[in-house]
Amino acid sequence: MMDQDRIERDDFERVAAWIARYFEEPGAYRVFPQVRPGDVIGALPAAAPEHGEPFERIFADFERIVVPATTHWNHPRFFAYFATSAAPVAVAAEALAATLDVKAMLWRTSPAATELEEVTMRWLGRLLGLPKEWTGIIYDTASIAGFTALAAAREALDPTIREEGMPGRALPALRIYITDQTHSHVEKAAIALGIGRRNVVRIECDAEYRMRAGALRARIAADRDAGMKPMAIVATVGTTSTTSIDPVCAIAGVARENEVWLHVDAAYAGIAAIVPEFRSMLDGVELADSLVVNPHKWMFVPMDCSALFVKNEAIVRQAFSFVPEYLTTPDDAVNYMDYGLQLGRRFRALKLWFVLRHFGAEGIRQRLRRHIALAQEFAQWMRAEPHWEILAPHPLSVVCFRYAPPGLGEAQLEARNAAILEGVNATGEVFLSHTKIDGRYALRLAIGNLRTQRSDVEFAWDLLKSKAGVLP
Ligand code: PLP
């Protein structure tokens, strides 16, 4: 008779061995699986089993059904979106965090989780060169961290909204300033916070896809003259399409002149600020109100871990703290449930702590430098080859480009490059994604995976040329 409250030690060992093997051969699977929508559903029963099944059977189905239908973000030739990867040490920490299974909401429900979060956020803030008075809080994603920052901005602007709600036309329109390169979560946050998409204003960019501070200043002045209330500016360090870097210092000047909350979204690129030669992209951040960086993007921490730093943590607490009797405590300590929508929180600081200790700051810097150098090298190869066009500046580890043989119009170039993308991804050897820049279809190659070597980038380049028909 199976004891369903436990599994055998051997079963844990099998899982550990499987994980170790997976990391030894991260390229063993197709990076993009050979499946069609519905295949996984079709392979599974319509109803949950009535009676428990042995671990062996479940694990066999994991290997048979789940793994081959997975897009392998850990594959060294995953170059799509922002390439990310899990450090094995962080996976070990994640297993331990799941084992402890704390709900890190009150200090007393998880003293170690709470205090490790305080310590790791101080460490990370220091590595990023943030003022030491700033407070770091871990969320699941940059989208939720951004939502939280904007809720704090709303609270800072008008603390009555918390009680009264947003009574529509009785309030002047609250305005948020972004660009057409800003990540979509800001508009989603505007929807959820009752601000409305119409009040999210896209400020014009310069030729390198960076917000123009002068245009921002003029738009804020015009909005004030029209009786609106400027609430927040979101500057991006490392935009999603091209990794352009908004001029934080100049934007912060406009924010301070106007007493408007400045949130800096550095979800992908911010981690690179721990590398001294790239720190200047955060110059002026000390004048901002909040900053988000994602260790789950470019610091080898598995999904999910997003670090929000705020100048004034009291505003975030004022926006979100709401304590029912059953959660009151006499402890003189941080209770992280006061800083967001969530009550129960995962012990995310554990994997961050393991990663920071395992690599050390210098180990992380070395890897980021290597990724950036590889991307720059890829761009050089492309420049040296006829008919390949780089479509945007590439200050970090992402290159946007297209194959542009002469004589093709925009629509034909789009069709040609979309076909190259399909061809590359269909091989299962390399995974790329695309974007549009100024209406032009662009392929993207993003480097950020711990395991990517120069030979992987060379492989991708040869495959691209072959799918473009310029290599056999
Ligand atoms: N901000 C930027 C600049 C991004 O590129 C992304 C995702 O790629 C996000 C925010 C959203 O990140 P998350 O998935 O952590 O919500």
Side-chain angles (χ1 to χ4, degrees):
M1 176 75 184
M2 195 163 90
D3 177 356
Q4 291 168 332
D5 294 337
R6 52 191 295 276
I7 63 172
E8 296 302 321
R9 185 177 289 233
D10 279 357
D11 296 331
F12 278 119
E13 283 167 4
R14 266 183 70 189
V15 172
W18 190 91
I19 294 172
R21 244 191 346 268
Y22 181 74
F23 283 124
E24 278 157 19
E25 282 189 280
Y29 300 93
R30 287 174 59 95
V31 54
F32 180 62
Q34 205 156 26
V35 286
R36 283 169 317 213
D39 279 357
V40 176
I41 296 171
L44 297 170
E50 199 59 45
H51 301 288
E53 299 180 51
F55 182 83
E56 230 172 77
R57 280 233 307 269
I58 305 169
F59 193 70
D61 281 350
F62 165 77
E63 290 191 288
R64 187 176 64 85
I65 301 171
V66 176
V67 178
T70 294
T71 301
H72 287 278
W73 287 69
N74 283 308
H75 193 293
R77 297 198 205 120
F78 185 108
F79 296 117
Y81 311 108
F82 282 124
T84 66
S85 54
V89 71
V91 172
E94 206 52 331
L96 296 173
T99 304
L100 298 175
D101 192 28
V102 297
K103 316 297 177 278
M105 57 214 202
L106 295 169
W107 176 85
R108 69 171 41 204
T109 60
S110 47
T114 301
E115 296 190 20
L116 213 54
E117 184 159 336
E118 291 185 62
V119 169
T120 50
M121 287 295 92
R122 264 185 238 129
W123 286 4
L124 187 57
R126 210 164 143 163
L127 288 172
L128 293 167
L130 301 180
K132 58 176 188 312
E133 314 71 61
W134 283 38
T135 304
I137 308 151
I138 304 181
Y139 296 87
D140 53 357
T141 58
S143 302
I144 295 302
F147 165 84
T148 307
L150 291 169
R154 195 182 71 174
E155 180 70 18
L157 188 75
D158 187 342
T160 66
I161 295 171
R162 192 185 140 116
E163 288 311 310
E164 308 297 333
M166 297 270 282
R169 282 158 201 274
L171 266 182
L174 307 184
R175 304 285 266 184
I176 300 176
Y177 303 89
I178 63 170
T179 74
D180 63 355
Q181 303 294 311
T182 307
H183 189 266
S184 51
H185 77 272
V186 175
E187 278 162 276
K188 284 196 184 178
I191 296 167
L193 289 165
I195 286 160
R197 272 195 71 195
R198 186 187 302 164
N199 290 309
V200 181
V201 182
R202 293 180 175 200
I203 302 297
E204 173 196 325
C205 285
D206 66 14
E208 300 195 352
Y209 311 104
R210 302 173 298 199
M211 185 188 282
R212 286 187 192 275
L216 172 69
R217 180 178 286 110
R219 187 61 192 256
I220 290 179
D223 281 359
R224 280 202 199 287
D225 288 348
M228 297 169 175
K229 271 201 175 191
M231 184 190 95
I233 303 162
V234 180
T236 309
V237 170
T239 55
T240 313
S241 274
T242 72
T243 74
S244 60
I245 297 168
D246 285 337
V248 173
C249 204
I251 293 171
V254 178
R256 292 289 64 85
E257 285 161 28
N258 286 282
E259 296 182 12
V260 175
W261 186 286
L262 172 58
H263 176 61
V264 179
D265 176 2
Y268 148 71
I271 296 295
I274 76 169
V275 181
E277 57 274 30
F278 292 97
R279 173 60 176 76
S280 62
M281 46 183 196
L282 287 187
D283 281 356
V285 74
E286 65 284 355
L287 301 172
D289 297 282
S290 53
L291 163 79
V292 67
V293 301
N294 271 4
H296 75 224
K297 277 196 166 54
W298 205 4
M299 216 176 96
F300 322 122
V301 174
M303 186 75 191
D304 49 12
C305 183
S306 181
L308 177 69
F309 291 92
V310 288
K311 179 179 280 170
N312 180 358
E313 57 79 32
I315 295 282
V316 185
R317 208 158 15 91
Q318 194 179 302
F320 283 104
S321 179
F322 187 78
V323 186
E325 179 56 34
Y326 46 85
L327 292 171
T328 55
T329 78
D331 308 321
D332 178 18
V334 172
N335 295 314
Y336 277 112
M337 71 170 206
D338 289 340
Y339 293 85
L341 281 180
Q342 265 188 284
L343 174 61
R345 303 168 75 251
R346 287 176 6 84
F347 187 178
R348 298 190 183 91
L350 192 68
K351 57 189 170 181
L352 191 55
W353 188 56
F354 272 44
V355 163
L356 286 166
R357 293 187 61 185
H358 176 80
F359 290 102
E362 200 44 37
I364 298 169
R365 287 188 195 105
Q366 273 172 14
R367 286 161 177 80
L368 301 188
R369 283 193 181 107
R370 199 169 60 78
H371 293 156
I372 295 168
L374 276 175
Q376 302 307 317
E377 203 178 355
F378 174 76
Q380 277 170 16
W381 299 338
M382 192 157 276
R383 279 204 182 85
E385 197 81 6
H387 311 322
W388 292 87
E389 201 182 347
I390 294 184
L391 293 176
H394 43 88
L396 296 160
S397 70
V398 174
V399 183
C400 297
F401 59 94
R402 65 178 177 180
Y403 180 57
L408 300 188
E410 278 307 319
Q412 291 162 309
L413 284 173
E414 174 162 344
R416 184 74 181 264
N417 281 275
I420 294 173
L421 180 67
E422 272 306 300
V424 165
N425 289 346
T427 64
E429 301 267 17
V430 166
F431 192 46
L432 296 177
S433 60
H434 82 284
T435 186
K436 277 206 173 163
I437 305 173
D438 285 338
R440 291 178 300 175
Y441 186 94
L443 302 175
R444 279 171 88 266
L445 181 122
I447 300 176
N449 187 308
L450 264 183
R451 292 166 269 273
T452 297
Q453 300 298 324
R454 189 168 186 273
S455 55
D456 296 309
V457 185
E458 284 170 338
F459 187 98
W461 179 217
D462 284 346
L463 189 57
L464 277 161
K465 286 188 287 187
S466 137
K467 295 297 167 192
V470 292
L471 265 192

